[in-house]
Amino acid sequence: MIGIVGGTGPEGRGLATRWAMAGEAVAIGSRDLGRAEQAARDLQSKVPGASVHGGINAEIVAASDVVVVAVPYSAVQPTLQPLGEAMAGKIAVSVVAAVEFVDGRPRLVSVAAGSVGQEVAAILPGSRVVSAFHTLSAEKLADCDASLHEDTIVCSDDREARGRVIDLAEQIQGLRALSGGRLANSYYLEQFVGMLALMNRIHKAHTGLRIADVEPRPA
Ligand SMILES: NC(=O)c1ccc[n+]([C@@H]2O[C@H](COP(=O)([O-])OP(=O)(O)OC[C@H]3O[C@@H](n4cnc5c(N)ncnc54)[C@H](OP(=O)(O)O)[C@@H]3O)[C@@H](O)[C@H]2O)c1
């Protein structure tokens, strides 16, 4: 099962939608049980027959083997610290961008660990941390009728975990997943989200990323 911590927000809901459409079982996590259950009901009505469950973050972590971290950067430490033991041995996928929004405009945040992915790894030393999905627009993911024609770059120091997340990414129709190598490399992705957000504003679009002239190699 794929659990999504912070799954009630736009990015978590969007990813949950696409995996539900692909037939994956999804658990939506929240600090609040009612919000999680409501998000699960919303998804069930959007994707009839979906296997979706809502629960508080700690509960969905316990039930999942892959846990997506989809909270804002400022919430990463307080959210993940208490989940460390429950996350041991599991794959933690950070989608967290190193960007905050002020008056609708992106502003980079400074991350002492180097990248958010590395910060997640420091908070969850027993987990297999992967960084991915940063460049996917929440709005486009949530729109079941929108076709995707884009890439996601997947970074991790754990080759097997990176491969598992590449496989999960490619369950999403229209999405190609490319290995981006080591976890530290996710620094570039986490910051590039700021440029995509600006492109969205300038061009009134939901932009994504497509890497030209590359034939994917195994994870
Ligand atoms: N939105 C996008 O298009 C997009 C694209 C790529 C990557 N991302 C990344 O994906 C992540 C989630 O984005 P989002 O737009 O979905 O974010 P969001 O709506 O701001 O937050 C997602 C969820 O995190 C929880 N949360 C919020 N503040 C919290 C806090 N202080 N402490 C603990 N939990 C908190 C909330 O869930 P509960 O209140 O239910 O607990 C909220 O629904 C971000 O790191 C963002 O950088 C977003």
Side-chain angles (χ1 to χ4, degrees):
M1 173 133 75
I2 307 170
I4 306 181
V5 168
T8 56
E11 188 69 5
R13 283 175 185 255
L15 287 167
T17 302
R18 293 294 167 152
W19 278 316
M21 287 166 68
E24 291 285 339
V26 187
I28 295 182
S30 169
R31 291 167 291 181
D32 178 88
L33 181 60
R35 267 201 300 278
E37 288 178 339
Q38 184 58 53
R41 280 193 295 274
D42 293 347
L43 182 51
Q44 249 147 5
S45 60
K46 251 170 88 171
V47 183
S51 169
V52 52
H53 165 81
I56 57 165
N57 287 326
E59 186 210 326
I60 65 103
V61 164
S64 306
D65 56 332
V66 174
V67 177
V68 175
V69 179
V71 295
Y73 175 65
S74 59
V76 165
Q77 211 276 342
T79 303
L80 296 184
Q81 197 77 61
L83 298 175
E85 227 168 274
M87 283 291 303
K90 300 188 190 242
I91 295 177
V93 186
S94 172
V95 307
V96 179
V99 172
E100 63 184 7
F101 288 86
V102 180
D103 298 330
R105 287 190 162 72
R107 193 165 70 182
L108 291 179
V109 296
S110 134
V111 180
S115 65
V116 183
Q118 289 166 291
E119 182 172 325
V120 170
I123 301 168
L124 303 176
S127 300
R128 308 169 69 192
V129 179
V130 179
S131 200
F133 305 116
H134 310 83
T135 53
L136 300 182
S137 146
E139 287 81 357
K140 206 156 56 182
L141 288 172
D143 177 356
C144 300
D145 297 325
S147 308
L148 302 184
H149 305 284
E150 61 191 272
D151 294 337
T152 185
I153 297 178
V154 182
C155 299
S156 181
D157 295 336
D158 181 325
R159 183 183 287 260
E160 195 187 306
R162 189 169 65 211
R164 174 85 201 284
V165 173
I166 286 175
D167 289 345
L168 280 178
E170 294 203 331
Q171 296 284 315
I172 297 177
Q173 202 172 16
L175 187 64
R176 181 176 68 161
L178 297 169
S179 170
R182 298 182 68 81
L183 188 61
N185 300 347
S186 74
Y187 165 85
Y188 300 102
L189 289 172
E190 293 163 7
Q191 304 224 351
F192 185 64
V193 172
M195 190 68 227
L196 289 181
L198 288 169
M199 294 295 281
N200 291 345
R201 272 180 77 94
I202 295 165
H203 298 283
K204 306 277 177 274
H206 299 305
T207 56
L209 181 74
R210 185 84 192 174
I211 306 290
D213 299 331
V214 62
E215 282 303 320
R217 300 179 63 194

